[in-house]
Amino acid sequence: MSATFGSEDGLSRLMELRQRKTTLEEKNKSILEENLKLTQEITSLHDKKNLEHKAREVLGYVYPDEVVFVLRPN
């Protein structure tokens, strides 16, 4: 009887480990996709025009002779 219990326990452990493996594979895929996206973004920033666009977008960089209008919703 204990051999049967051990076998069932082993089967549930196997199923648990398979689920964990699937979860980790999905997480790994997500991380790899994010890494690829960031690598492409870094590569694109080597172009001066892309770097300037990113600086304007993220940092709010403005040339001295430019006027910025900030529209706020009512």
Side-chain angles (χ1 to χ4, degrees), residues 41-55:
E41 185 176 340
I42 290 169
T43 301
S44 75
L45 292 177
H46 290 290
D47 178 25
K48 185 177 178 182
K49 192 171 191 169
N50 290 337
L51 180 60
E52 181 180 323
H53 175 74
K54 197 66 168 179

Side-chain angles (χ1 to χ4, degrees), residues 1-72:
M1 185 156 174
S2 69
T4 304
F5 178 73
S7 177
E8 289 174 7
D9 187 45
L11 182 59
S12 65
R13 178 76 172 135
L14 176 63
M15 291 171 54
E16 177 187 329
L17 288 173
R18 284 185 177 167
Q19 179 60 40
R20 185 170 180 210
K21 178 184 175 200
T22 301
T23 302
L24 289 173
E25 286 173 340
E26 291 170 358
K27 185 176 180 181
N28 189 38
K29 182 180 178 186
S30 174
I31 291 170
L32 288 172
E33 289 171 356
E34 180 69 16
N35 190 29
L36 177 61
K37 178 183 165 192
L38 291 172
T39 300
Q40 290 171 340
E41 185 176 340
I42 290 169
T43 301
S44 75
L45 292 177
H46 290 290
D47 178 25
K48 185 177 178 182
K49 192 171 191 169
N50 290 337
L51 180 60
E52 181 180 323
H53 175 74
K54 197 66 168 179
R56 290 170 165 274
E57 179 183 311
V58 174
L59 303 175
Y61 178 77
V62 178
Y63 286 119
D65 61 341
E66 291 181 320
V67 177
V68 177
F69 294 94
V70 179
L71 303 175
R72 297 173 200 239

